[in-house]
Every structure is written in structure tokens, then in C-alpha cells.
Amino acid sequence: MTNYQDLGLRPLINAYATVTKYGGSLMPPEVLEAMNEAASAFVSLAELQRRVGERIAKLTRNEAAYITSGAAAGLMLSSAACALHKQPRALDQFSALAALKYEAIILHSQRNPYDYATQQTGLRQIEIDGSPAALRAAINDKTACVFWFPRGLCSNADLTLAETIAIADEHGLPVIVDAAAQLPPVENLWRFTQMGAALALFSGGKDLRGPQSSGLMLGRRDLIDLIRPISNPNHGLGRPLKVGKEELMGALAAVERYLKLDHAARARYCEEAVRLFCDALDPLPGVDAQRAFPNEAGQPLPWCSVTIDSAKFGKTADELVADFLGHDPAIAVSPLNERQFHLNPMTLNPGEEIIVRDACLQLLRDP
Ligand SMILES: *Cc1c(COP(=O)(O)O)cnc(C)c1O
């Protein structure tokens, strides 16, 4: 069997985050076993999608659930669901759906590279400032839904999710929450939909540690049922976003595991790793290493923020980030700007925090 090294690639230690470009997260044994078993027998894919969805819905206290090929696919499929909700007769014809020129509202402060997926179904994106008046003014009979991205750099003046849902509700409009990286806390699996969001989308391949090409769409059954006929194994818009039997069973195993996980123990591990990093690095000349909380994605886990005095080192933080990747073993750390990077413990395997600390000492002591 050919491995990464045979292909001339070095595996990385991930002290960055659950970023897709480095492989997202690692699947634990429960998930691998579920995928292996799924790979050993044929089954009706549409029925499996239904049964897995029912099981996940129950586990996550949602009305319904659908497994997508990722949160980005979920953005696309939920846009389609909202358009079809307005015009069910457009079901078979994607071109007809686009021609209807339906609109999706998004807050200016929440624009992000993933929101492109909301337009791929032909929805026109209407960008608004974050005030209640702007949201009310943007809503018209072409509006299909409102998208909400919790990661956005919201200013305090912006609408909250609860206010957005309240205004959307006045018009019977679904609010879709892109919660791709909003785990932990585990409660988010039901929090957004219990607040009244129509659908909440999660990555299966981030902290859930399910298959990389999986995601969860949780929430309203009527919306989810609208995308079944146009998603694999059926033909239509969702057919290229195929989710196989292995991903379906892997995603289910990942959810089951995540609900049982000792999240407090996991948070303690992260605290200890961050303390280890700060204690080792902060005393170094020209280095400031501090615990920061929550981390960049807003997850309630600490990470270590490292600020360097570039003049002293003759190197920027960006150059150090490259040094980490060139180190043996290669380590991915989270770049921030010319002076700062972060060490994120959430994707470390236990024991790797020592390797990361030692690499830091080597690279920062002797730049
Ligand atoms: C990671 C991410 C996505 C994409 O998730 P995939 O499961 O990789 O498709 C979408 N939106 C946000 C905000 C993300 O952080």
C-alpha cells in the first residue's frame, strides 16, 4: 500500500485548527470501524440516508437531519431547499429555479469565502448592514431565506441571531445558520434550531471527526424533504454532492461518539497544553505567549497566542510559520499577522504537545 511518504509528502502535526487544507481532523477508531463495515455490504442509499437522518435527528433533538458532503454543500442545498419552498414546481429544473431570481439576505459583516455556495443555486445575494431596519427593508416577495454566519466579525451594532430570527419569522422566512465550525460546544447541535433557525449546518470533518466529506443539515423536515428528490442517488442539483454509504455510517458514528465524549476532560487537555506552551515560550527574550479564549472560531477552548519581536529575530511570524512547516516533524501552526501566530491544541493527538513545545523552543530560541 502506498503511503504519504511514498508520494513524497510528510505528514503534519496539526497545531493549527480543523482546517480543510491540512485534512480537517482525524477519524477515531469508532468512525473508521463504522465506515469499514459500511464498505463491506450493499444497501439502498436513499433508505440509508433516511434512517441515518432519523437517528441523528433524534440524537441531536432536531425534527429532521440530512447528511451532506460537507457544510459548504449544506449551504448550497439549503439555498435550493428555500427556493423550492417558495416554488415547488421548479423542482426538476435547476435553470427554472435560477430564473426565478429569488434572493438570500446576508449581513455585510458576515460575508466570507464560504458564502459563495449560497449563490450556486442561482439565489441572488442581498447584502445588508446589520440593523433591524435594513433587514426589514431588504425583505420582499423574492426573499427565500436569511443566512447567518456565526463566525462573522460582527460589530456590536449588528443584529443578533435571535433578533434576526424574530424579524424573519414575521415574514415566514427561514433562517439558515452556517455552524460548520461551531462545535464544541456540543449543545450547538440543537441550540440554533431550538432558537428558531430553520436549518443549522455543521461540518462532519471538523471537530466531529467524522469523514472529511460529510456534513450535517439539522432542522425542519419540510425543507430537508425538498432536497431528497434532487440529491443523490436521485438526479438534479445535489447529485454531484454525493454522500456514500461509508460517509453516512461514519457521520452517524461520529455524532454518537461526540455526544458521549468527555468534553470537560478534552477541555482540560487543551488547558494543560496551552499552559505548557505559555510556560515554555513566554520567558524567551522577545516572545510573548499568552492563553487566549475562546479561540478564533469562537469554540470554548483555549489556544496560545504568540507575539514575537520581529526586530529581535530578524524574522516575521509568517516566516516562523514556514519554519514550523519545514521542521522535522512538520508542524502546522495558525498564522495571524506579521507578529503573531497561534498554537491550537484542539487538533493535537495526546503527546504531540511536547513535540510542538520542543519545536517552538528550538525555532524561537535560535531563530
Ligand atoms: C469549514 C467551514 C465551511 C465548510 O465546511 P465543509 O464541511 O468543509 O464543507 C463552511 N462555513 C464555515 C464558516 C466554515 O468554517
Side-chain angles (χ1 to χ4, degrees):
M1 197 173 76
T2 307
N3 63 23
Y4 291 153
Q5 285 88 344
D6 296 334
L7 293 172
L9 293 170
R10 295 195 305 153
L12 300 162
I13 288 178
N14 184 353
Y16 189 145
T18 52
V19 286
T20 296
K21 69 175 174 178
Y22 293 131
S25 58
L26 302 179
M27 290 186 284
E30 301 93 307
V31 174
L32 291 168
E33 274 161 35
M35 293 184 78
N36 246 328
E37 191 172 323
S40 69
F42 295 101
V43 69
S44 157
L45 200 68
E47 281 180 43
L48 184 63
Q49 171 69 268
R50 252 180 212 283
R51 296 289 161 81
V52 167
E54 282 163 10
R55 187 65 67 92
I56 289 180
K58 194 150 181 257
L59 288 168
T60 62
R61 311 176 200 180
N62 279 281
E63 187 180 63
Y66 191 81
I67 313 306
T68 64
S69 56
L75 285 169
M76 200 172 147
L77 290 173
S78 55
S79 314
C82 294
L84 292 170
H85 183 57
K86 285 183 83 75
Q87 180 52 276
R89 274 175 301 141
L91 196 65
D92 306 323
Q93 293 157 342
F94 172 55
S95 54
L97 197 60
L100 293 169
K101 294 199 165 46
Y102 285 142
E103 298 173 356
I105 297 175
I106 179 169
L107 268 65
H108 173 72
S109 60
Q110 296 184 1
R111 289 296 315 273
N112 68 82
Y114 297 106
D115 69 36
Y116 178 71
T118 66
Q119 302 170 57
Q120 280 174 302
T121 43
L123 282 194
R124 285 181 29 197
Q125 208 171 59
I126 306 298
E127 201 175 305
I128 60 166
D129 73 42
S131 70
L135 177 55
R136 287 207 168 85
I139 294 173
N140 65 75
D141 59 7
K142 287 286 181 195
T143 312
C145 57
V146 181
F147 278 97
W148 179 270
F149 293 85
R151 273 191 66 192
L153 305 166
C154 308
S155 73
N156 290 333
D158 274 352
L159 284 156
T160 62
L161 176 58
E163 289 165 341
T164 303
I165 290 171
I167 295 172
D169 273 355
E170 292 167 14
H171 303 269
L173 275 180
V175 175
I176 316 292
V177 177
D178 176 0
Q182 303 306 303
L183 295 173
V186 59
E187 298 81 28
N188 279 353
L189 288 170
W190 47 90
R191 191 170 75 89
F192 299 117
T193 40
Q194 283 181 356
M195 283 177 75
L199 295 169
L201 312 170
F202 295 89
S203 278
K206 290 183 179 170
D207 205 49
L208 275 175
R209 298 178 63 182
Q212 278 310 292
S213 49
S214 74
L216 305 181
M217 180 186 285
L218 305 177
R220 268 170 54 182
R221 178 176 296 123
D222 63 328
L223 292 175
I224 286 176
D225 281 346
L226 283 168
I227 60 172
R228 292 184 196 278
I230 55 159
S231 280
N232 82 95
N234 302 312
H235 293 283
L237 181 92
R239 179 59 183 79
L241 310 171
K242 180 152 92 178
V243 184
K245 56 193 184 304
E246 299 81 7
E247 282 80 24
L248 288 166
M249 292 306 283
L252 174 56
V255 171
E256 288 172 338
R257 171 186 169 275
Y258 204 70
L259 290 166
K260 280 188 263 167
L261 199 69
D262 186 345
H263 289 280
R266 196 271 183 105
R268 279 197 300 278
Y269 165 76
C270 290
E271 288 292 354
E272 281 159 24
V274 168
R275 194 170 324 120
L276 186 83
F277 299 149
C278 293
D279 288 353
L281 305 184
D282 199 48
L284 299 179
V287 180
D288 178 61
Q290 302 294 329
R291 173 185 180 275
F293 182 96
N295 66 19
E296 182 216 19
Q299 297 146 340
L301 292 173
W303 62 344
C304 177
S305 173
V306 185
T307 308
I308 61 161
D309 180 343
S310 303
K312 194 160 239 146
F313 282 113
K315 244 180 204 176
T316 64
D318 290 339
E319 288 167 325
L320 267 170
V321 169
D323 289 347
F324 275 104
L325 285 172
H327 186 78
D328 188 18
I331 300 172
V333 304
S334 176
L336 185 65
N337 56 41
E338 285 226 314
R339 299 177 58 232
Q340 279 182 297
F341 65 92
H342 284 88
L343 299 168
N344 190 341
M346 74 179 290
T347 37
L348 294 176
N349 287 313
E352 287 179 342
E353 68 281 7
I354 306 289
I355 302 174
V356 172
R357 181 209 47 195
D358 292 349
C360 286
L361 285 173
Q362 196 182 328
L363 293 171
L364 286 164
R365 195 181 273 147
D366 185 20

